[in-house]
Each structure stands twice: as C-alpha cells, then as structure tokens.
Amino acid sequence: MFAMRADSILRAALLPARAPRAGQAFGEDLHRLGRFTLPGSSMTFRDWPRAGTLCGSTTLGLGPRARPRTSDSQERPRGRAAGARGPALGWRRGRAGRGRWGGACGGRGRAGAAAPPAERRAGAAPARRSPGQSVSAVAVALTVACGRLWRRRRLPGLAEVSGPPLACGRVEQPRTGTRRRDGAAEAAACARSPSSSPPAPGRLRTPGSPRAAAERTAGDGEIAARERPADCIARVMDFTLCLTQRSRMVDSKRMRMTSNFQWPLLTFILLYLMNQVNSQKKGAPHDLKCITNNLQVWDCSWKAPSGAGHGTFYEVCIENGSYSCYPSEKTNIKIPALSPGDHEVVISPLRDFGSSISKFILSEKNVSLIPDTPEILNLSADFPTSTLHLKWSDRGSVLPRHSNVIWEIKILRKKNMEIVKSVTHNTTLNGKDTVHHWSWTSDMPLECATHYVGIRCYVDDTHFSGHKEWSDWSQLKNVSWSPDSQTKVFPQDKVILVGSDVIVCCVTRDNVSSAQIGLTKCPLIHLDGKNVAIKIHNISVSASSGTNVVFTTEDNIYGTVLFAGYPPDIPQKLNCETYDLKEIVCSWNPGRPTALVGPRVTSYTLFESFSGKNVRFKRTEASTNESHQLFFQMLPNQEIYNFTLNAHNPLGQSESMILVNITEKVYPHSPTSVKVKDVNSTAVTLSWRLPGNFAKIKFLCQIEINKTNSIQELRNVTIKGVENSSYLVAVDKLNPYTIYTFRIRCSTETFWKWSKWSNEKQYLTTEAIPSKGPDTWREWSSDGKNLIIYWKPLPVNEANGKILSYNVSCSSDEETQSLSEIPDPQHKAELQLDKNDYIISVVAKNSVGSSPPSKIASMEIPNDDLKIEQAVGMGNGIPLTWNYDPNMTCDYVIKWCNSSRSEPCLMDWKKVPSNSTATVIESDQFRPGVRYHFFLYGCRNQGYQLLRSIIGYIEELAPIVAPNFTVEDTSADSILVKWEDIPVEELRGFLRGYLFYFEKGERDTSKMRSLESGRSDVKVKNITDISQKTLRIADLQGKTSYHLVLRAYTDGGMGPEKSMFVVTKENSVGLIIAILIPVAVAIIVGVVTSILCYRKREWIKETFYPDIPNPENCKALQFQKSVCQGNSTLKTLEMNPCTPNSVEVLETRSIVPKIEDTEIISPVAEHLEDSSDAEPENHVVVSYCPPVIEEEIANPGLDEGGGTSQVIYIDIQSMYQPQAKPEEEQENDAVGGAGYKPQMHLPVTSTVEDLAADDDLEKTAGYRPQANVNTWNLVSPDSPRSTDSNSEIVSFGSPCSINSRQFLIPPKDEDSPKSNGGGWSFTNFFQNKPND
Amino acid sequence: MLACLCTVLWHLPAVPALNRTGDPGPGPSIQKTYDLTRYLEHQLRSLAGTYLNYLGPPFNEPDFNPPRLGAETLPRATVNLDVWQNLSDKLRLTQNYEAYSHLLCYLRGLNRQAATAELRRSLAHFCTSLQGLLGSIAGVMAALGYPLPQPLPGTEPTWSPDPAHSDFLQKMDDFWLLKELQTWLWRSAKDFNRLKKKMQPPAAAVTLRLEAHGF
C-alpha cells in the first residue's frame, strides 16, 4: 500500500520557478518565515508510548526569544495569511510554463525518465487499490484532518503541531522493527542534525531575532546523498508515524478534556472519510517548485489539484530532522532553508476531500537561487566628461554568507534602445548592504542621445548546490540632456589623445546638411530627432588652435574645436644643481611635444618630498624641445633633496624623480671682479668674487697663467668657501716685468662641474734689477786707434725691466775712461785708446738698478800660425770644432761677418765656455749661398787670440753665372780656350771645378740640342784643378764648326753654361793642291785642244765654217738690194760685225772657273739682249760688265778690312767677342733693317744722301734703312769701290748694278757660306778664308 | 599741347609758392589718415591670411562665409549706403572713431589669446598701426573742430574671454573681427577720400581734375 502511495507521490514534478516578484520585501518574507516556523519552535518530540521509542527533540533555533514573536504572530494570523496570498499567487502565474526541472527526489533526467510509468501507475491506482491501501490513505487523511481540526479548534491556541490522538491511533501501522528502528534513527538524525551541521558564523546567530533563526536554519549542512524514491517515501512515512505517536503522547491529557466531543468528532471523521474517498477522484498537488533569493527561506509553490476550489487550504509537512507542518491558504509556502539532504515534503490539501496528498522529496539541489532584482539607487551623468555614474546597493545583508556577486550592467542608447555596452562587474557580499559605484565613459557625448542603464545580478554562492540564476533586470534608468533652444555641438573644446576615435554630435532642431572635420567631409550618423553625429577615426595631431569640426545647416554653421595631442612625456634629463647654494635649479627636457598649447599646455610641478614644498611651472607658449628650468629655494640645514617633477596636461601626467645631495651638485657661477695686486716683482695676489653662500664647503680653483711666448701654466688652489663671496689667493714664482694674463675657474672639492672661466685679467709685474750684464765684444777699428765696444741687448728674462741705458768704462792700470748713460737702442760705443791693455766693463741699467758689469779685455794676442779653413753648414747652422786648449781660461768667442764686407766687419758673435770644443753657429741672418767669415778667438790671460779663421757657407748653391771664356787660338786640329774666375758673390759656394763640353756642330743645329753628357758625340772634360785657367782641345778636324760649352760647379750644383762656336782652320796644303790640280788640268786640256785645233784647222774650217758663196755674186738677189737699201735699220742679215768679238772675249777670260763666270755674266747678257732693242748704242755698257767682275775679284782685301757682311769673322779673329754676341747684333740689325738691309751697303747712297738735304730723309721714308748708310760711310769711307761707283750713279738700281744684286740677297745668306749661290761665290770664298 | 599743359600742371604741386598756404588746414591730416587707412588695409590682408590659417579650416577657406552668429558686440561695418552718405562728416568721423576704438580693444584681446609668438608679434604690430589710425582720426576731427566722442562710463569695451564661450564661437568672433575690420577700413578709406576732396583748396582741385583729364 505504501509502495503504491509512493508511486503516486512520484507523479508530482517539482518544476523550477522564477524568482518571487519584485517588491516582495525581504523583511516581509522574514516575518512570514518567523510566523511559519513558530509552530515547530521549541517543540519536544517524545517517544510514542506504544513503541517506546524516543523520536528525539530538537530546537529549531528560536528558543525562548522566539516566543514573543509567536504570540505576536498569533494576534492576526489570518491577516497575515491573506496578505501572503496575493504575492504568492502572483509569482505562480509568472512562473507558468517555465518549469525546468522535475522529480522530487531524483535529478532532472531521472525524473523525466521516471515520469511516464509513474503516471501510468497513478492512473491505474484507483482501480487496483486494495482495501488496505485505502485504509492507509484514510488514516493519513484522518491524521491530517485531525491535526487541522485540532488546530482550528485551538485557534488561537498553541502552535504545536499535534494530530488528534484518536485518528493517530487508528492509522498507526504495524511496522517491522527495522523500519521502526530506521524511523527512530531518522528522528535521531533529525534531532542531531542541527548540532552536527556546520556551525553558522557566530555573528549571524543572534538569538531571539527572526533573522537569526532563519540563518540558523539555512546554516544546516548541504545535502549530498540521494535516496531511492521508495526509501525516501518510507522514511517520510516513518517520520509521519513517529510524529503522530508523539502527538498522541503529548496530548494524552488534553484528550481527557476533549472527551465530551468524541462523538461529534467521530461523526465528523466519517464525513471526512467520505469526503476523502471522493477526493481521490480530484488528484493531488503537483509541480512543487522551490526558489530562494536569500538562501535562508525557500519559497515553494505547487500546482493545485485540478479540482481544488478556491478556498482550498494546504498543509505542508516537511521532514527536516523533525517533522514540521505549515498550513497555507495558497499554493505556495515559504519555508526556512532545509538542511542538506533530501527531505520529504507532504502537501495535503485540506477541506478538499477530492484531492489527495502529495509527497515530494526536496533537497537544496532542487532549489533555484534567484537573487532579488537589484535596484538602481542613482544614475547621474557628467556631461563634460561624458561619464555615467551608477549607484546601487548589493543588499548583502540578505544573504547569510560571503558570496561573490556578478553584476551585469547594460547601457542602451537612443529611443530604440540599442545596446551599446554590456559589462559585468564582480563584487563580494560581506553581509552588509553595500552601495556600489560604477562609472562608464561614453564614446558619444551624453548630450547626443538618451542613455539607459539596467542591471541584474548573479550570486555565485559556492556552498549552494542548487541552481543559480540571474536576477531579473532592474528597471531601466536613463539620462538625457535637456537642450535649450540653441543648437550645440558636442563635445565642446575637448582634449583627446591623438589616434583615438571620437564621436561628435550636433544637437539641433534643424536639418544638418553636412559635417566636416578640418577639410574632410564626414558621413552623418542620425540620432534621435534631427540630431546627427559623425565619427572620427584615428584623429591626427591638431594645430595650435585645435581642429575644427563644423556642422552646416541650411542657414547656419555650428562647430566645436577638438584638441588632439599627447599626454606629457616623461621629463627627460632631469638634473638639479645649484649655483650659489641658495637656490636649486632643476632643468629638464620636456621630451615629445604634446601639441597642446594655451590653457592645455603641460604644467610642471616640482615637489620636494622631505620638506613637502613644491614649485609650479606653467608656460602658455607652445613647448618647444628646449630645456625647461625651475628654481627651488634651498632650505636651511637641508642638504639632501628628493625631487619629483610631475608633468600634467589634460591627457595625463608623468613624472620623474631625482635624489640629490646638493652640496655635491654645486656649479659655481664664473668668478667675477678679478683683480691683481702687487706683492713684489715676482708675486701678486689675485682676488675675485664668487656669489653664493659657500661657508660650509671648500673650493678647488684653477688659475691659468699665460705669459706671452710661453706655454700656459695651470695652478690649483684650494680655498675655503666664505659667505661674503670674496676670495683672495697669492700667486708667486712669477718673472719680473712680464705681462701675465690670469683667469680663474672654480669647482667644489667634491667635483661636479667647473665654473665657466672668469674674464681674463692682464697684469705686468714690476721691474727688478737686470740679472746679468750684457754680452760684450770689442773690435779695434781699422786704423787701430779706436776700440769699438759692442754689446747685445739683454734678453727679457735677464733685463727684468726696461733697459734705459748702458754704462761703459775702460780701465787700465793707468787710466780709466768711461762713457755713461748710453741710451738703450745703442749697443755700440767707441773709445779712443792707446794700445794698452784695458779691461772694458759694460753695465745695463733699468729703472730699478744696474746689472752686474760684464767685462772683456782689449788685448789681442797675435797668432802667426793661421790658415783659412773652409766649412759648410749643416741644417741651420755651421758646426765648428776646435781642440781643447788648457791655456784658454776664460772662454771662446766666435765672431762672424759677411766675407764680402770690408773690415772691421762684425755681424755677430757668440761666446762659448772655455771647456767646450765645439759649437754650432746659428743665426737668422745666415743666407744660403753667402760666404761668411768666422773667427774663433780664445781667451787667455785677459786677452783674446785669434785661433782659427774659417770661411763657410750655411748652404752651398750652384754658381749663378758661367765663367767667361774666350778662344785664345785655333788651328786646323786644336782650339785653345781661356777663362776667367767667377766672383765670390756669384759663385755661391766653394768652386769645385769646371766642366768643358765640345762637339761638332753649327750654330743652328746645336741650338736645338742640349748638352747631355750621355751623348757619345759630346766630349766632356772635367777640370777639377780650379787654378787652371786655360785648356787646349786637340785632335779636332780642320775647317769644322765646334760647339764649346764651359760651366763651373760647386757642391751646390752646376752653374749655367756659356757656349761658343768655333770653326777650325782649313788644312793649307790640301787647299793648295785642290786649287792647283784643276788649274793644271785645265791648262793642259787647253793646250792640247789648241794644238789639236791648230793641226786640224783645215778640217775644222771645212766642218764648221765652210765657204759660203757671196750673195753679191748672186744675180738673183739684185732686186732685193734696192729694197735693203731703202730701210737702213734692217740689219738682221748683217752678221759680220758680231761673231769675232765674242770669241775673243772668251778666250781671254779662260783662267777663271767657267761655271762661275757664266753665272755672273748671264744676267748681264740677258740684260744686254733686253736692252739692245731700245738702246742700240749701249753696246759699250754690255761690254762693261766684265770689268765689274774684275773689281770684285780685287775686293777680298777690302772685305777683310771692314765689310759689314764679314763682321762675325772679324770678331772671331779678334777673339774678343763670343759667337753669341755678334749673332745678337746681327739680329738687331736685321730688325732695324727690316728687309732693306742689303741696301745699307750701297756706297752710292751715301753720296746721294749727302747730296740730299736732311729733309729729304722724310721723303724717302720707305727707304728708311738707307739712312743708316752713315755707318757704312764711316766704316769704309775710302773704299775704292765707293769712289769707283761714283761714276755708276746712272746704273743705280738697275739689275745690272753690282750693289743692287748683292743686297737683294737675304741677310742669312751672308752667315751661311754655302748658301752664297749667286755671283758672290768668290767673295764668299775669300770671306771664309780667315776661318780656315 | 595738352601733354605739355599736363606736365606743367603735374609739377604744380611741387612749386612751393603754390603749396604754401599759411594754414595747411585739415587737408594734410586727412590725406595722412587716408594713407594710413590704405596702409592698414594692406597690412590687414597679410595679417588676416596668417591668422585665418592659424584658426584652421574652414576659416581659411576662401568661400567661408558663415552667418554672423556671435560677435554681437563688434561694431557692424555693413550699413546702408544712403544712410551712411546722408550722415554729416562729424557723425561719420565719430562713428569711425568709435568703431576703431572698439575694434582695437578686441584686437588686443586677440593678441593676448594667440598661442604663437609670431602671431602675437604681427598682431601687436597691427594694433600699433591701428592706434595710429585712431590718433589720426582724432587729429582730423580736431582740425575740423569736432569734439572727440567721450566713451560713456561702463560702455568701455573690455575684452575678456567669455568662460561660457566655446573655442569655436571664439574663433567665429575672431573671424568676424577681422572681417569687420576689413570692411571698416574699406569704408573709412572711401570716407576720407571723399572728405579729402571736399576739403581740398580749389587750386589743388583744378590740378587734380586736369590730372585726371590728362592721364
């Protein structure tokens, strides 16, 4: 029977339920809970009398303090119940159709699988129900009915749950011991469970308060075990029996009191049974669902049986350690949270006999945790920053345990509720009501559209094993901007990070036609109403005045300015130092420019953490990359500063830090007011100012001392810092009368940085007496009467001041002469002395005093053994060495002068200590190639002896001139050459020899060639004997032109060359033979020819001159005769007079070489022929030509005497003029002659010119060269030719004229003997003769 | 012939005897004011270019011509021509003087606000020139015997950045300041030119007429 009952119970499915409706206040629930727990509180369960078992007792936690609440709840139970009804019905409706899980004991899956058979069985149950089963059901029903009746009867009596003893006795079931034991064990377990459950946190266990009771109930351990349905049902049954028995026991006394009512009661029972039987047809409560919102109270609801009327009451009994029953007028009930594990819940509809009871197995796993819907306490908007601030309470006090809560917040935009953001936010409940804040910055300005916010939560309680669900969304709250009439663009003047996205909107009532940022048009995004927005992606850096965003409507424009920039960079190279220990200067580099200016520029704050002081830095200028500075006043007695430099602008901030010991970071200003004061001639004091409070530190200062022409000197001094900024230091070891330049810089002893150098201060130290006398020398004048004393000016370091004058004195044993106050620039004095020995002393004086005298003896010790030596310098000086001479006691003196100067000659001198044997003479005056004369004196016994005389060169150079040389003599095979010395000035070194070159060659060709020694045809003679002045060159060829070159050389190189051309004489014997043989041959040939001609004259006559018949004898020609006579001029045929003349002339001139004769004559003959026609009477002139030749033959002697054409040869013969010179002269003449030279030789012209007046010269300008005939006249006034030619004036200029022909030949022909091809071969022949 | 006459007349003003007229009258100061106005016009052209570039697009776009929204306090240069011409010389000069003193004040505010040093220099230079123009107008008025307008107490324009004024509206104001300034300078140049002609001695007027005829 029980098993079947259990099956029917299983039909009930526990469906999940949504959270109870909002507005069901927790406090109210708690109140209700308190009311429902009252009946069970302080219950004492006693053992059933028959069974003798003690079911145990438990205290549910309210204890004595709960009592007042009990009585309180009893005051108006109905009202409470009625009040609870409404909401319960409400959420049941809301939950309809939302069931998620079923099965009282099993899990969801199992319940689903088990449900169909259970239903089938349940459907079949009424038909197959056995009487026993019915009785049992009746018994249970009776029990419940009794209980209810009893409670109703006792209202408002005790809250204890106790069934009527009678009914309970009737329905008691015989049970096996095991079962009973189980039940007892179960009861014991129930009784134990509170104490065995994990103790709830002490603070929550507030005795007496309803909440404490609830917490304690909820604090029971979780249920984990799951039983089979049959076991579960059996247990519930046992528990019920136990309860019934206990009820009987407890109420045994009361039974007596109520015995009078037994009969009506029995009647009632019968009626009840009837009703109960009927109710079997109506069904049972089902779909039990439990939810909790606080883990302490479970709100369970079920579905009423199908036929249940409106006024149906239920009794819900729960086995939870004890067996508690709760009445309910509705189909829901709030029960305290059950301990872990499965619990049987029996729901019995009361007063509805058609319905049967339902049993459910309930455990925590089947309960859904659905938190209360959160409520937004406040939603506010910060429009300038587009930030929403949300505030809500977590109602943490509702939940007994610390649990994590996840909040989901959604943000919706515009009227059509577009979700723009959904975020979760985690918090922890701590048992108190905590208000949470959450802020969200919108990408779109909040003014642009309405924004809505909703929130829900999810309690993630780890100890709760049931199903956890999100709460419902809270009611949405919104923020919106109430626009005034003006159109506006948002955001206004916003500073944003470069590269971010930004939404700009225009809140307007007009139609916006376009929008642009800068020059770029943007697509419009339409918002509510006519509002529009644009989205700018990746905004670029703004210009200094910002980026303009402009919206254009039909008749207006609206805009805003955005400032896109960067947050401040970390200040770089932050450095803090002090100049004066009064103020700290911190400098830094701002780093990357922020592109924000004006009010948005980066501001800097320098914060010192030890003192807590700070300084601000703000610039409105655009921050360039230059260094920034801040000044921080130093604090007394603080040396270590910890600075934090904070950079801040609207986009963010950054900072850098530095910790400094400021006494180690002193960078002093550069010293000022540098002053120098005398101490003495070698020491001064330096003073300067260094502003600052340096009393506690020491300075290390550097003094730079600069002396002209000297390396600078650095001296370090350590000075103690003072407060009054004045510092003084002595500087010694200076030179007197010297210009010094001082400058100073300082740093602290713990070096950080040198200050800048102070300004330079120049100072001249005072004078001191000259430290030495001047270097002195003396020379006797050339006449030996005067002694000239020389001294050198003192070097600056010895003069110690400005030398004003010198005193010179000469003292001998007898007398003393002195010259005083010789002013400074003069370094020489002359004293007239006899040849006594004097000691000369020279003293230099400056303004402070006189130098010690420098002394020198006048005596000169003669030295006979003197040779002049040669020396050549090395490098810049001339080294001199000598042998050590112990007699030389004072010193050695080397004096020198230019050798070309006259005596006494002194350029300079040098004194060498007596122990040295060598020195190098150096002087700026030495020049290369100049010969100097050095004299080495040794000093002995107050007298100087000339030891050596040396000539030398600092450097030898090549001679600058060639030696003059002349040809002394020439012969057919040799030439004697003689040359002269080169002057010393032009030699420029020691002459080492001559080089003589000679070669065959003529002027023209040899000019082209250089004299290279390698050439084989050049012969070279090296004359190393410099005393040799002549040279004979032998083995030459006769009548050959030789090119001679002579040059001198020194160690410095070869001098220039001088060359000359010489033609050797012809061999005379050969010449004679050459003349005589042809003459002899010619004579012989002539004689032979004559003889032959004579012998064969008849034959010759026959052959060449046959007899021609006389034409007179010819009659035939008679008529012609008259004709001939008629023209007497026709002489063509008159041959007689011509022939014999010609023949005769040839024969008389036969001695002369024929070729030449014909050459001479032929033009004359031509002339004769040409002129014959015009001047027939001039035959005499023709025949005159030969005499001209004769005259020329007679000329040689004359030519030798002074013919211009022979100037060269005359010169050579005289041997005074080199070849080159005549050549030049000729060239000059040629230039002067300008092509008319030949005419200069005209002897005739002289007379002509003489006759002509000077004025006529101008007329004959074209013939200018002829004016030179004066020279000609001088040369040969008496020349026979000139006298002769006087008669030839007529023929002047005619081609037949001798002069004319001669001078039309180009001048070069005169020089070159061979080119004389014309009629002048004879002349040339003789002209060359002297050269032979 | 005509050219010759013109040449002679061209040099007429250079002849001292003709130019010396005991009291120079307001003529030279009007001329000076006119020249200064033209110079300022020229100077403003380059300043406006720089400044509008500084304001950024669209302010520096050539066709940018927004309606005059703010800048109510700026003296408007746009006026009905007839109304303006019907004013007396004194009134016109007074209005000019008042307008420039207002504009100068705003311009100085602009200078204080400018972010770059170079712009501040140009603005300061222009302010100095404008101050000169004010002095010049005052000189003309004094020469013509008109009293200088006394600023009413409390109406003295003082430039202070309106905290509620957004940067964009400020830029619009700046734009309008430059624009009004330019229009005022144009109008003043016309005014002074007209005044100059009116005040010129007859001889010079003849010269000018001939000049115009000849060339």
Side-chain angles (χ1 to χ4, degrees), chain A residues 920-954:
Chain A
V920 177
I921 311 294
E922 287 178 338
S923 168
D924 294 338
Q925 295 170 325
F926 288 152
R927 300 279 175 271
V930 177
R931 182 177 290 185
Y932 297 99
H933 204 157
F934 300 89
F935 302 93
L936 173 67
Y937 289 91
C939 172
R940 132 200 321 195
N941 297 334
Q942 285 80 41
Y944 283 91
Q945 184 180 28
L946 181 60
L947 300 178
R948 287 166 74 182
S949 176
I950 304 143
I951 53 169
Y953 290 90
I954 186 78

Side-chain angles (χ1 to χ4, degrees), chain A residues 394-411:
Chain A
D394 64 0
R395 292 191 215 158
S397 58
V398 173
L399 286 166
R401 295 193 290 263
H402 286 231
S403 325
N404 294 324
V405 187
I406 303 168
W407 305 91
E408 186 179 3
I409 304 161
K410 63 177 177 183
I411 289 152

Side-chain angles (χ1 to χ4, degrees), chain A residues 676-692:
Chain A
V676 190
K677 239 181 165 180
D678 281 328
V679 176
N680 55 39
S681 61
T682 59
V684 294
T685 56
L686 277 178
S687 66
W688 66 88
R689 285 184 65 79
L690 198 59

Side-chain angles (χ1 to χ4, degrees), chain A residues 909-1218:
Chain A
W909 71 91
K910 182 182 179 182
K911 283 192 175 165
V912 184
S914 59
N915 55 1
S916 49
T917 58
T919 188
V920 177
I921 311 294
E922 287 178 338
S923 168
D924 294 338
Q925 295 170 325
F926 288 152
R927 300 279 175 271
V930 177
R931 182 177 290 185
Y932 297 99
H933 204 157
F934 300 89
F935 302 93
L936 173 67
Y937 289 91
C939 172
R940 132 200 321 195
N941 297 334
Q942 285 80 41
Y944 283 91
Q945 184 180 28
L946 181 60
L947 300 178
R948 287 166 74 182
S949 176
I950 304 143
I951 53 169
Y953 290 90
I954 186 78
E955 184 189 350
E956 285 186 278
L957 299 176
I960 47 168
V961 294
N964 270 332
F965 79 103
T966 51
V967 176
E968 195 84 338
D969 184 27
T970 51
S971 65
D973 62 348
S974 70
I975 301 171
L976 179 63
V977 179
K978 187 181 175 186
W979 60 88
E980 297 168 1
D981 277 335
I982 300 173
V984 167
E985 289 81 5
E986 290 166 337
L987 201 54
R988 305 202 297 171
F990 297 115
L991 182 67
R992 299 297 176 203
Y994 300 95
L995 280 179
F996 193 90
Y997 307 85
F998 62 98
E999 57 164 342
K1000 277 187 200 171
E1002 292 178 3
R1003 191 172 306 271
D1004 296 336
T1005 51
S1006 57
K1007 260 185 192 170
M1008 317 301 283
R1009 290 188 269 172
S1010 60
L1011 284 166
E1012 294 161 20
S1013 56
R1015 272 169 50 196
S1016 59
D1017 53 341
V1018 177
K1019 288 176 181 159
V1020 185
K1021 285 191 184 235
N1022 187 3
I1023 301 137
T1024 52
D1025 178 8
I1026 56 171
S1027 58
Q1028 186 181 338
K1029 299 290 179 213
T1030 57
L1031 176 70
R1032 175 169 292 279
I1033 309 157
D1035 301 331
L1036 301 177
Q1037 292 178 355
K1039 207 196 168 185
T1040 307
S1041 175
Y1042 280 95
H1043 183 204
L1044 311 178
V1045 173
L1046 183 64
R1047 59 203 300 192
Y1049 63 89
T1050 67
D1051 284 346
M1054 291 284 185
E1057 58 187 44
K1058 181 162 278 184
S1059 67
M1060 183 185 283
F1061 289 90
V1062 177
V1063 181
T1064 48
K1065 285 184 179 164
E1066 197 170 5
N1067 193 336
S1068 51
V1069 180
L1071 182 67
I1072 290 164
I1073 291 167
I1075 294 169
L1076 290 181
I1077 289 173
V1079 170
V1081 169
I1083 291 167
I1084 292 164
V1085 168
V1087 169
V1088 169
T1089 309
S1090 302
I1091 293 167
L1092 283 174
C1093 288
Y1094 183 74
R1095 291 251 182 112
K1096 298 287 181 178
R1097 65 183 177 274
E1098 287 305 320
W1099 176 78
I1100 290 167
K1101 190 177 176 298
E1102 273 306 308
T1103 306
F1104 297 103
Y1105 197 63
D1107 287 332
I1108 299 165
N1110 193 351
E1112 288 175 1
N1113 300 331
C1114 177
K1115 300 293 182 187
L1117 292 172
Q1118 284 299 319
F1119 70 97
Q1120 285 179 342
K1121 197 176 179 179
S1122 59
V1123 179
C1124 289
Q1125 281 171 348
N1127 188 2
S1128 61
T1129 57
L1130 190 66
K1131 294 176 180 176
T1132 317
L1133 298 176
E1134 289 178 11
M1135 289 174 279
N1136 285 338
C1138 298
T1139 313
N1141 269 351
S1142 299
V1143 175
E1144 276 177 17
V1145 170
L1146 275 172
E1147 279 172 358
T1148 52
R1149 293 300 302 167
S1150 61
I1151 2 158
V1152 183
K1154 278 186 178 171
I1155 300 165
E1156 292 176 356
D1157 284 353
T1158 49
E1159 279 178 358
I1160 297 163
I1161 292 162
S1162 56
V1164 182
E1166 282 168 19
H1167 184 241
L1168 176 71
E1169 282 176 8
D1170 290 343
S1171 58
S1172 62
D1173 293 340
E1175 294 168 298
E1177 69 277 359
N1178 283 350
H1179 283 290
V1180 195
V1181 177
V1182 176
S1183 66
Y1184 179 76
C1185 290
V1188 173
I1189 297 162
E1190 282 177 6
E1191 189 182 278
E1192 288 295 326
I1193 294 164
N1195 269 345
L1198 180 85
D1199 285 339
E1200 268 188 16
T1204 339
S1205 59
Q1206 287 145 11
V1207 171
I1208 307 160
Y1209 305 100
I1210 291 164
D1211 281 345
I1212 291 169
Q1213 284 161 350
S1214 70
M1215 289 201 179
Y1216 283 103
Q1217 296 259 339

Side-chain angles (χ1 to χ4, degrees), chain A residues 8-318:
Chain A
S8 77
I9 289 165
L10 271 175
R11 281 174 56 233
L14 284 170
L15 294 177
R18 301 290 292 175
R21 290 266 49 88
Q24 205 167 3
F26 176 77
E28 205 176 335
D29 289 348
L30 195 68
H31 204 78
R32 226 175 287 141
L33 172 76
R35 204 184 70 207
F36 281 114
T37 45
L38 289 177
S41 59
S42 299
M43 274 197 302
T44 306
F45 299 102
R46 293 212 179 103
D47 213 352
W48 187 255
R50 271 177 61 189
T53 53
L54 181 67
C55 286
S57 68
T58 184
T59 305
L60 285 179
L62 276 177
R65 294 287 297 271
R67 282 283 170 190
R69 297 293 301 214
T70 311
S71 57
D72 180 45
S73 66
Q74 283 169 348
E75 282 173 17
R76 37 193 177 95
R78 290 225 169 246
R80 292 273 173 192
R85 189 178 193 160
L89 286 171
W91 67 256
R92 217 175 293 140
R93 272 197 303 277
R95 221 167 52 209
R98 285 171 128 184
R100 287 228 306 263
W101 54 276
C105 293
R108 184 180 183 176
R110 189 177 165 186
E119 271 179 36
R120 275 199 302 274
R121 277 200 297 270
R128 286 183 289 151
R129 196 178 291 146
S130 65
Q133 283 173 324
S134 299
V135 170
S136 171
V138 168
V140 171
L142 274 177
T143 309
V144 173
C146 287
R148 196 166 292 179
L149 193 69
W150 171 246
R151 197 189 65 182
R152 196 172 291 171
R153 193 182 60 209
R154 287 191 54 152
L155 277 176
L158 284 171
E160 290 163 354
V161 179
S162 51
L166 179 66
C168 285
R170 263 216 317 260
V171 296
E172 187 187 335
Q173 298 293 324
R175 297 188 71 97
T176 63
T178 320
R179 284 218 170 209
R180 230 178 282 132
R181 267 199 309 275
D182 285 344
E186 191 73 46
C190 293
R192 267 196 316 272
S193 64
S195 58
S196 66
S197 67
R203 58 195 169 92
L204 297 175
R205 283 179 167 246
T206 312
S209 79
R211 182 183 291 185
E215 281 168 358
R216 201 177 311 164
T217 315
D220 290 344
E222 289 182 26
I223 38 167
R226 197 185 258 176
E227 297 174 30
R228 285 187 297 124
D231 293 345
C232 187
I233 292 163
R235 256 181 13 157
V236 172
M237 290 300 290
D238 287 349
F239 187 65
T240 314
L241 282 174
C242 179
L243 267 179
T244 315
Q245 285 164 5
R246 277 179 298 180
S247 299
R248 284 185 58 189
M249 259 172 55
V250 168
D251 293 333
S252 57
K253 290 179 182 176
R254 292 173 193 166
M255 281 182 66
R256 278 197 306 267
M257 291 169 67
T258 54
S259 59
N260 296 335
F261 299 96
Q262 278 184 358
W263 284 114
L265 187 68
L266 282 173
T267 313
F268 180 77
I269 289 165
L270 278 173
L271 285 170
Y272 181 81
L273 284 171
M274 294 287 285
N275 193 23
Q276 190 74 18
V277 169
N278 290 337
S279 73
Q280 290 290 322
K281 296 168 189 170
K282 288 182 180 175
H286 56 93
D287 284 358
L288 178 69
K289 293 163 195 169
C290 289
I291 59 166
T292 179
N293 56 13
N294 56 10
L295 300 172
Q296 298 177 92
V297 175
W298 294 1
D299 188 347
C300 296
S301 63
W302 58 92
K303 285 188 179 165
S306 55
H310 185 67
T312 308
F313 286 83
Y314 299 93
E315 188 179 56
V316 181
C317 293
I318 301 162

